[in-house]
Amino acid sequence: MENWIKVCELEDIPQLGARVVKGKSCEIALFREGDRIYALHDKCPHKGGPLSQGIVSKGRVTCPLHGMNIGLEDGRAISPDEGCTETFSVRIEEGAVYISL
Amino acid sequence: MQKLKLVVVGNGMAGMKVVEELLKIGPDLYEITVFGAEPYPNYNRIMLSPVLAGEQKFEDIILNSLGWYEENGIRLHLGKKVLRIDRQRRIVEAEEGMEVEYDRLLLATGSSPFILPVPGRDLDGVIAYRDIQDTEKMIETAEKHRHAVVIGGGLLGLEAANGLRLRGMDVTVVHLASWLMERQLDRHAGKMLQCELEKRGLKFLLEKKTEALLGNEGRVCGVRFSDGGEIPADLVVMAVGIKPNTQLAESAGIHCNRGIVVDDTMQTFDPKIYAVGECVSHRGTSYGLVAPLFDMAKVCANHLAMMGIGRYAGSFTATKLKVTGIDLFSAGKFEGDEHSEEIVLNDVAGGVYKKITIRDGKIVGTVLYGDTVDGQWYFRMLKEGQDIGEIRGNLMFGQSHLGNAGHEGRVQASSMTDDMEVCGCNGVCKGTITKAIKEKGLFTLEEVRKHTKASSSCGSCTGLVEQILASELGGGYSPKTSAEKPLCACTEHTHADLRKAIREEKLLSIPEVMAFMNWKTQNGCSTCRPALNYYLISTWPHEAMDDPQSRFVNERVHANIQKDGTFSVVPRMYGGITNPEQLRRIADVADKYRVPMVKVTGGQRIDLLGVRREDLPAIWSDLDMPSGYAYGKSIRTVKTCVGTEFCRFGTQDSTGLGIMLEQAFDRMWAPHKVKMAVSGCPRNCAESTIKDVGIIGVESGWEIYVAGNGGIKAEVSQFLAKVKTKEEAMEYSGAFLQLYREEAYYLERTVHWIGRVGLDYARSRVAEDEENRRALYQRLLYALSGERDPWKSVVERERKPLFESLMVEA
């Protein structure tokens, strides 16, 4: 059963930007592109860079450390980069953002 | 929407490149049908020589597998010739009565080898060297027969001859001219090449005209020349040139003149029909090398995708022979005339010959033999029409920057073994690069960067990677210059185009630029957004929107990201001067926030390393010092020596001027980082000669040097002007920096910008034109007026979402 947790309002996440959610076990990056929100483990599969600090565009984020491109939808590195980072389910309801851990 | 029908005649490199590009930019526009005369998927024709030489297999050189066509929904008809085009009904007719309709037709029919009209040309064992079938035939013949004769001592002929020799045949090359590759080499280089190839066991007959091929029971057995001489031959390879395949176009009444005539959009005289590749004649020229074909393909795809931008304006081509162990390079008009001069280096014993042909102070051609390291450099200057006046004396000795740092001083990729490291940043060996080029069919520096990461960080190994590309691809490699390259894959426009549009159309935000310049992507990418953001704020200070989401993390959070995701904090200390009170505060902050490392930087500042993002605002508040901008494409520091205040040798107040400069130009964004220094005497203790702007005090005033660099490639700065007072030093430095801010491309350091535009240009605008200097300086002061300290702004803000994390219980 999915356990939805409210984390913030949609407006708290800047357009083409990100916020970091700190949970007990890991840090999650919430990205916003348009009115879509994506949640990824805030750790690049390459060398562990904080993806939340990267530049967001066309459904991907560019890691600030070495420029790996990670798909926001599935957490997979965009070819020719390789690797994958964990994704989480996101729901937007009445302007609030919920994630499922 | 109903898809349009695109029919492609020709399944070779040019045609498929158009399809690949088209799928990228307009994937849903067309239903695509491809006809190929050969029974194979698209393969890398320029790799046939390595296949012949036994260095690669056919499977290795396939570019698009049959699966690729299927995945992209392309209907592929292999081994089927197109016989006729009916332009009225817009139909192509192929063998076996097949008919396919088209809305757009792309002709990429390539070229055919020219066969000498001599008796015996139809005999068994007489072939051309054009496709994989020819190659296989040659390999097969080499197993059974002994004598091979290659007619034609050009690029292709020599590669064929070399391959056959490696396969164990006794090979004679017959050539009409008096030296080899006479269109690419001068006599001297041609003779050196011949000498080297003779050492490898090839034989040459020059100035020989073939009169007849002799046969025995239907198979070739010899060659007879016009002087009556004869030699035995079990295999004759004709490599005397190619001719564009225009029969199909001609039979349909499309205008041809040796090739299919196209305009700059690759359109033929029938607007529904496009043509690319070796079959076309563009501005009276046909090309047989791969780089121009790819340029054509990009333009053609753009027009097929109805984007309507991009023109093909012709290509300069350079030649390199793909014979392992032989280095030769040629480009342009290397044969001089009465208006040109030549610089020649001729080391007979060392096997090195270099010739550069110059006209009106510019390189117009070059031939290099034995040492081709600088070929691409000369070629680039040739293409850009760069004035070589200033570097003429050193031209022959090369660029010598390749691999300055991190490659054990190596400058020649060919002397490296596969396990040697090329890219010191990302740990990429030569073998990894050559393997990726071969297996993944890479053609450009960008592709190598993407696939292997080599040369994608500091870029110091770019020269080595380009050499590897050139030696793998031969004539297939042609480096683009930054002036002609689009900014990124989101646009067709160059940096220069974009700067111009932003200035002339007064564009004030990234969405405005993207709309006006027909961006291909909705939000751009991590390459174009930071560049556009800089162009906007530097062109329209106080008016354009600064978009934090289009800045790299460091500039967004005003701190330098470290490998573990923590940050470093460097407070401003003007001129490198501090006091006990500041030092106490720094010490207190380091204690309070348990800063793991405190370090003195190369620019005479103090760096607090390992700070968590959440702690940044509090640390800035406690420090109560301005941001040192150690993280930005901006003024970093002005390094100073002690100067007259204490130093017994000092002739000028270097600390005083350093503080003035740093205070005046504080918070100045630039295309890249800017480092400055002021030394109080010619002993130059502040190292002014490796700075973007370096000033040296002398008894009678200040000498201003610019465009130095101490990083990857150490570059000594060049003299800009000498002035008397501190105020003048400020104005000259400021004007130079403003010119750089207004005209350089994003991520171009002053040294590269000056390399591109020339120091004379900067001198004429800054030193020699007083009115312009003042205007530049005023524009800089205006841009900087009212800029607030970024740390203070964050500290004063009530909410700090960039720095605070959201907490959840789970």
Side-chain angles (χ1 to χ4, degrees):
Chain A
M1 204 182 77
E2 280 185 307
N3 180 21
W4 292 98
I5 305 166
K6 179 178 168 178
V7 280
C8 63
E9 304 296 321
L10 181 62
E11 298 311 309
D12 292 336
I13 308 172
Q15 197 54 260
L16 298 179
R19 288 296 299 267
V20 180
V21 178
K22 276 201 173 166
K24 277 199 185 116
S25 52
C26 71
E27 301 198 355
I28 297 164
L30 287 183
F31 298 94
R32 176 166 179 192
E33 189 173 18
D35 280 333
R36 293 249 3 223
I37 302 291
Y38 307 88
L40 264 65
H41 188 186
D42 192 12
K43 205 169 174 182
C44 179
H46 178 223
K47 295 207 170 168
L51 296 173
S52 57
Q53 308 302 308
I55 290 180
V56 178
S57 64
K58 23 176 200 190
R60 62 174 71 173
V61 59
T62 307
C63 177
L65 291 196
H66 305 97
M68 295 271 288
N69 285 303
I70 310 295
L72 295 176
E73 187 86 55
D74 56 6
R76 279 177 201 287
I78 311 280
S79 172
D81 291 338
E82 285 165 12
C84 185
T85 196
E86 199 183 347
T87 59
F88 301 90
S89 308
V90 182
R91 204 168 57 148
I92 304 170
E93 219 163 82
E94 292 174 5
V97 179
Y98 296 80
I99 56 173
S100 164
L101 296 177
Chain B
M1 194 182 79
Q2 175 109 34
K3 284 191 183 181
L4 294 171
K5 296 185 187 73
L6 172 68
V7 173
V8 184
V9 183
N11 182 34
M13 294 173 77
M16 284 314 98
K17 191 73 182 175
V18 176
V19 172
E20 281 181 4
E21 293 288 328
L22 183 59
L23 290 172
K24 269 192 238 167
I25 56 177
D28 305 318
L29 279 172
Y30 291 99
E31 199 182 286
I32 303 172
T33 308
V34 176
F35 285 93
E38 287 183 64
Y40 308 99
N42 178 30
Y43 59 89
N44 193 345
R45 212 176 282 278
I46 58 179
M47 287 297 177
L48 286 175
S49 294
V51 172
L52 177 62
E55 291 160 5
Q56 276 191 281
K57 292 201 176 72
F58 178 59
E59 301 87 81
D60 301 331
I61 67 169
I62 290 176
L63 290 173
N64 303 93
S65 64
L66 290 172
W68 175 85
Y69 294 88
E70 209 166 294
E71 277 162 38
N72 288 290
I74 297 167
R75 254 180 244 151
L76 177 64
H77 300 288
L78 287 179
K80 213 167 241 180
K81 280 199 181 114
V82 171
L83 304 172
R84 224 170 73 80
I85 304 168
D86 183 336
R87 289 162 55 202
Q88 249 90 50
R89 290 161 60 216
R90 279 199 258 135
I91 279 173
V92 296
E93 294 167 22
E95 287 172 320
E96 296 161 24
M98 187 176 179
E99 291 196 345
V100 181
E101 276 177 52
Y102 67 83
D103 296 298
R104 296 281 183 283
L105 178 63
L106 174 63
L107 300 176
T109 46
S111 62
S112 301
F114 186 73
I115 301 291
L116 290 176
V118 291
R121 63 182 182 277
D122 301 323
L123 289 166
D124 201 15
V126 179
I127 59 167
Y129 183 28
R130 170 70 196 163
D131 54 30
I132 189 66
Q133 266 176 310
D134 297 332
T135 311
E136 278 166 356
K137 183 113 184 228
M138 282 155 78
I139 295 171
E140 201 184 290
T141 314
E143 280 164 13
K144 294 188 223 141
H145 297 277
R146 172 143 183 79
H147 297 287
V149 173
V150 175
I151 303 179
L155 199 61
L156 204 58
L158 294 180
E159 288 184 7
N162 181 61
L164 291 169
R165 174 73 201 136
L166 288 174
R167 294 260 172 200
M169 290 189 89
D170 174 74
V171 185
T172 306
V173 176
V174 177
H175 195 49
L176 193 58
S178 44
W179 67 90
L180 300 174
M181 291 179 71
E182 80 281 3
R183 285 164 65 186
Q184 289 89 16
L185 301 179
D186 61 3
R187 174 183 287 271
H188 193 89
K191 289 292 170 193
M192 286 178 87
L193 173 64
Q194 181 180 342
C195 198
E196 174 62 36
L197 290 171
E198 277 168 352
K199 278 189 213 153
R200 291 166 181 236
L202 293 179
K203 295 178 198 155
F204 293 92
L205 291 171
L206 300 178
E207 298 178 54
K208 288 272 186 196
K209 191 172 176 208
T210 305
E211 195 177 70
L213 304 179
L214 313 173
N216 180 15
E217 292 175 8
R219 183 170 183 93
V220 72
C221 67
V223 178
R224 188 171 69 225
F225 305 110
S226 56
D227 60 7
E230 279 181 24
I231 54 168
D234 308 310
L235 173 73
V236 173
V237 179
M238 296 237 197
V240 290
I242 53 170
K243 53 174 197 293
N245 286 331
T246 57
Q247 306 90 319
L248 181 66
E250 266 175 298
S251 70
I254 297 168
H255 179 53
C256 296
N257 183 7
R258 268 176 287 183
I260 304 170
V261 177
V262 292
D263 63 14
D264 287 359
T265 68
M266 309 317 294
Q267 209 167 31
T268 66
F269 274 57
D270 180 332
K272 300 241 179 277
I273 304 180
Y274 288 78
V276 291
E278 292 182 332
C279 63
V280 311
S281 165
H282 171 264
R283 300 191 187 178
T285 305
S286 294
Y287 295 94
L289 298 170
V290 75
L293 311 192
F294 283 6
D295 290 341
M296 291 180 196
K298 277 209 143 151
V299 172
C300 183
N302 188 290
H303 288 276
L304 283 173
M306 297 175 208
M307 298 185 125
I309 41 176
R311 279 170 58 232
Y312 176 68
S315 302
F316 283 105
T317 53
T319 308
K320 208 169 174 304
L321 185 69
K322 279 196 306 297
V323 170
T324 310
I326 293 184
D327 271 330
L328 71 81
F329 181 93
S330 115
K333 299 190 184 82
F334 55 84
E335 292 283 16
D337 56 27
E338 66 270 28
H339 304 292
S340 62
E341 319 143 41
E342 287 170 4
I343 303 179
V344 176
L345 182 150
N346 188 9
D347 174 2
V348 179
V352 174
Y353 171 73
K354 302 186 192 184
K355 177 162 96 175
I356 301 172
T357 309
I358 296 165
R359 188 173 172 167
D360 301 327
K362 290 168 185 167
I363 297 179
V364 293
T366 180
V367 174
L368 307 176
Y369 187 88
D371 173 5
T372 58
V373 170
D374 290 298
Q376 301 298 345
W377 183 48
Y378 297 143
F379 186 41
R380 195 167 304 169
M381 289 193 283
L382 183 155
K383 285 205 290 183
E384 290 182 350
Q386 191 179 321
D387 193 289
I388 49 118
E390 285 169 34
I391 51 170
R392 187 180 171 121
N394 295 319
L395 205 53
M396 202 35 104
F397 307 106
Q399 204 175 9
S400 76
H401 79 285
L402 297 167
N404 254 7
H407 319 103
E408 305 165 44
R410 282 185 183 278
V411 294
Q412 234 172 326
S414 59
S415 68
M416 296 174 77
T417 55
D418 278 355
D419 57 353
M420 281 176 140
E421 195 172 69
V422 172
C423 174
C425 294
N426 296 306
V428 187
C429 297
K430 182 184 170 191
T432 312
I433 299 172
T434 50
K435 192 162 163 245
I437 293 171
K438 284 177 189 157
E439 289 181 359
K440 299 192 170 147
L442 311 183
F443 292 98
T444 65
L445 182 63
E446 281 68 33
E447 286 171 341
V448 173
R449 284 181 177 156
K450 266 196 198 158
H451 281 86
T452 67
K453 298 274 179 260
S455 156
S456 65
S457 296
C458 82
S460 78
C461 61
T462 301
L464 286 172
V465 175
E466 288 197 317
Q467 282 180 44
I468 295 170
L469 261 168
S471 75
E472 289 299 316
L473 300 179
Y477 181 62
S478 156
K480 281 251 166 78
T481 58
S482 57
E484 61 191 64
K485 247 187 254 176
L487 168 55
C488 66
C490 302
T491 179
E492 297 291 330
H493 296 291
T494 61
H495 285 268
D497 293 343
L498 291 160
R499 287 221 86 154
K500 186 160 171 261
I502 288 170
R503 194 171 54 243
E504 290 180 359
E505 306 294 332
K506 197 165 183 184
L507 305 173
L508 294 176
S509 70
I510 292 176
E512 268 182 58
V513 180
M514 288 183 174
F516 188 81
M517 302 301 272
N518 299 315
W519 232 247
K520 291 189 237 167
T521 53
Q522 202 190 346
N523 293 320
C525 69
S526 57
T527 301
C528 60
R529 286 217 327 256
L532 292 180
N533 195 57
Y534 170 71
Y535 291 153
L536 287 163
I537 58 167
S538 58
T539 311
W540 301 109
H542 306 303
E543 292 185 78
M545 298 259 292
D546 188 353
D547 174 22
Q549 303 306 341
S550 295
R551 283 184 179 264
F552 183 62
V553 54
N554 291 357
E555 295 185 359
R556 206 180 324 127
V557 302
H558 314 293
N560 234 328
I561 197 163
Q562 305 297 316
K563 61 183 277 190
D564 58 356
T566 63
F567 290 86
S568 83
V569 170
V570 183
R572 188 63 91 196
M573 289 174 180
Y574 295 101
I577 309 293
T578 184
N579 56 43
E581 200 247 333
Q582 280 184 346
L583 292 173
R584 251 178 231 118
R585 259 184 283 154
I586 291 171
D588 288 343
V589 162
D591 273 342
K592 180 170 168 189
Y593 297 92
R594 297 168 193 273
V595 172
M597 187 194 264
V598 181
K599 188 182 181 308
V600 174
T601 72
Q604 303 180 331
R605 303 302 130 99
I606 291 176
D607 198 349
L608 303 172
L609 290 139
V611 176
R612 299 184 317 143
R613 186 168 42 89
E614 293 86 344
D615 288 337
L616 287 169
I619 287 189
W620 296 337
S621 174
D622 286 2
L623 279 173
D624 195 24
M625 290 168 76
S627 162
Y629 280 80
Y631 46 79
K633 314 289 178 224
S634 56
I635 287 272
R636 293 289 176 87
T637 63
V638 183
K639 188 172 180 172
T640 62
C641 71
V642 174
T644 43
E645 213 156 326
F646 284 92
C647 179
R648 64 200 164 102
F649 297 116
T651 61
Q652 293 285 357
D653 174 20
S654 49
T655 50
L657 179 57
I659 292 170
M660 276 168 73
L661 285 165
E662 195 163 334
Q663 284 179 338
F665 304 151
D666 200 1
R667 299 164 203 153
M668 182 195 90
W669 297 113
H672 210 307
K673 60 185 171 187
V674 173
K675 298 182 173 187
M676 298 174 71
V678 186
S679 298
C681 81
R683 285 172 190 78
N684 189 19
C685 293
E687 296 161 345
S688 300
T689 40
I690 50 163
K691 301 296 182 207
D692 294 281
V693 175
I695 299 177
I696 297 177
V698 290
E699 200 56 52
S700 53
W702 303 94
E703 291 176 351
I704 302 174
Y705 294 84
V706 294
N709 197 311
I712 295 157
K713 168 188 173 192
E715 281 276 357
V716 173
S717 55
Q718 304 181 63
F719 179 73
L720 178 76
K722 185 176 167 190
V723 297
K724 283 212 169 64
T725 65
K726 282 182 185 166
E727 287 66 32
E728 283 177 295
M730 300 270 294
E731 185 177 292
Y732 277 70
S733 312
F736 173 78
L737 289 173
Q738 180 64 11
L739 191 68
Y740 168 58
R741 277 164 43 86
E742 289 178 2
E743 299 188 5
Y745 302 149
Y746 189 63
L747 298 187
E748 198 172 41
R749 287 291 295 269
T750 54
V751 59
H752 304 122
W753 168 60
I754 287 297
R756 183 164 60 80
V757 301
L759 183 67
D760 282 345
Y761 172 73
R763 261 195 211 133
S764 72
R765 307 273 293 162
V766 174
E768 290 152 20
D769 184 344
E770 189 184 333
E771 201 180 321
N772 193 55
R773 177 173 67 244
R774 294 241 157 97
L776 281 167
Y777 190 51
Q778 286 310 317
R779 287 207 291 281
L780 176 61
L781 296 183
Y782 169 72
L784 295 172
S785 63
E787 273 285 320
R788 297 206 52 213
D789 176 60
W791 290 358
K792 203 166 216 143
S793 307
V794 171
V795 169
E796 285 170 4
R797 235 176 272 152
E798 205 174 308
R799 295 185 65 203
K800 304 174 176 69
L802 259 174
F803 300 93
E804 290 157 0
S805 298
L806 302 158
M807 309 304 267
V808 293
E809 284 303 308

